[in-house]
Amino acid sequence: MIRMLMIVSLDAMILYTMVPFILTRICGWGVLSKGKAGKGVAFTFDDGPDPSYTPDLLDLLQEHDVKATFFVLGKKAEEHPELIRRMHQEGHQIGIHNYIHRSNWILSPWANRREQADRTADIVERITGERPIVYRPPWGLLNIGDLILMRKNYRIVLWSVMVGDWKPAVSVEQLKMNLLRRIKPGSIIVLHDSGDTLGANEDAPRQMIAGLKEVLIEVRRKGMECLRTDELLNREARSVGKVGHDTKLPGQAHL
């Protein structure tokens, strides 16, 4: 009997966590992780807003006339509404990264939707007057229920380029080289403007910002355009629509 219960529990755990991991992270089903058309790329930033680093990052983006997407934590948005307001006023897209940085694997789908995503969307909407429509779960991990509940109201956006910018061992030069080697037209790049989450280095965002300055210059020199995530994906939709009269966004056929 105990053996049977263990087998059932293991099967349930695999269904709840590993099946959605394979579907989304490996197969790309039901999520958006890159664009396919044009010369656009999208820089995205997770875990903020952080008063130690986000203002410097916003200054850098403004200096280079770059619009980005910030996947914010609701608790930090509550604590630093002036940074959320500034993101919005300067034309950046604001997405949801849960209320606190906790894995969806240890929460129920209903708790994820109500207490994490919707709660954060409410906070951002109160500050900016605009409700977020894009969602990125912490560590990119979804449970099986998220694939049903989250996708009813949010577009789940992951990434195609990740370079470990939260790690203390990644130097400015390594960060710059890794980004420039991997960024291609259509890339969605994930970086972090806060270093206080589990496994991150507190000073890592400072190195990220230092390396990003040269990356932005080089990306533009190569003829690529830095866009918000919604602009990158909508531009692809318009391009597809002109050719085949199909205006669905990438991945939308599965949504």
Side-chain angles (χ1 to χ4, degrees):
M1 184 63 176
I2 294 176
R3 178 183 173 84
M4 178 74 70
L5 288 173
M6 290 178 64
I7 293 172
V8 170
S9 298
L10 181 60
D11 288 345
M13 185 181 301
I14 291 172
L15 176 65
Y16 194 69
T17 61
M18 295 311 298
V19 169
F21 181 87
I22 293 168
L23 288 175
T24 60
R25 294 285 293 275
I26 297 175
C27 300
W29 184 89
V31 299
L32 304 168
S33 59
K34 61 181 178 180
K36 297 178 182 177
K39 288 284 190 177
V41 300
F43 283 91
T44 70
F45 301 93
D46 291 2
D47 299 353
D50 188 313
S52 298
Y53 301 111
T54 306
D56 291 341
L57 174 58
L58 288 169
D59 288 345
L60 176 64
L61 296 175
Q62 190 174 50
E63 177 187 345
H64 291 272
D65 193 26
V66 168
K67 300 298 184 282
T69 301
F70 288 83
F71 289 93
V72 304
L73 296 172
K75 186 174 188 301
K76 291 184 177 182
E78 278 183 320
E79 294 169 350
H80 307 288
E82 73 285 354
L83 293 176
I84 298 296
R85 212 170 284 117
R86 181 180 171 187
M87 290 174 189
H88 180 69
Q89 290 171 348
E90 294 181 2
H92 302 291
Q93 183 183 19
I94 301 174
I96 300 165
H97 198 47
N98 278 359
Y99 181 75
I100 57 175
H101 204 281
R102 181 175 294 169
S103 173
N104 288 21
W105 282 4
I106 61 174
L107 296 170
S108 74
W110 298 274
N112 286 339
R113 170 73 182 273
R114 184 179 61 254
E115 299 171 15
Q116 300 291 331
D118 288 350
R119 185 178 181 185
T120 300
D122 290 343
I123 292 165
V124 172
E125 186 175 21
R126 283 198 300 270
I127 297 170
T128 67
E130 185 174 323
R131 191 169 185 84
I133 61 169
V134 291
Y135 173 75
R136 175 180 288 162
W139 297 292
L141 301 178
L142 296 158
N143 63 55
I144 194 70
D146 291 334
L147 294 180
I148 301 169
L149 293 179
M150 287 294 188
R151 290 166 57 235
K152 288 183 177 180
N153 289 80
Y154 304 105
R155 301 168 70 192
I156 300 173
V157 177
L158 299 184
W159 57 83
S160 56
V161 176
M162 175 186 279
V163 292
D165 63 299
W166 66 89
K167 300 175 183 177
V170 178
S171 67
V172 172
E173 192 62 28
Q174 287 175 315
L175 177 74
K176 184 176 66 174
M177 288 174 57
N178 289 340
L179 283 172
L180 291 176
R181 187 178 72 249
R182 296 186 58 189
I183 292 174
K184 298 175 177 61
S187 291
I188 297 178
I189 305 104
V190 59
L191 297 166
H192 301 79
D193 59 327
S194 182
D196 62 0
T197 54
L198 181 65
N201 180 267
E202 190 173 349
D203 295 326
R206 183 174 291 109
Q207 297 192 149
M208 180 275 291
I209 293 170
L212 182 61
K213 183 172 184 176
E214 292 188 48
V215 170
L216 294 178
I217 294 171
E218 187 64 18
V219 163
R220 183 157 289 171
R221 190 190 68 78
K222 291 181 176 180
M224 289 182 275
E225 184 180 5
C226 299
L227 305 169
R228 295 165 29 140
T229 299
D230 56 345
E231 293 172 334
L232 178 71
L233 299 172
N234 287 339
R235 179 168 297 188
E236 177 180 346
R238 287 195 296 271
S239 175
V240 172
K242 289 177 184 177
V243 176
H245 307 290
D246 180 359
T247 56
K248 289 181 179 179
L249 292 168
Q252 197 173 15
H254 305 299
L255 295 179

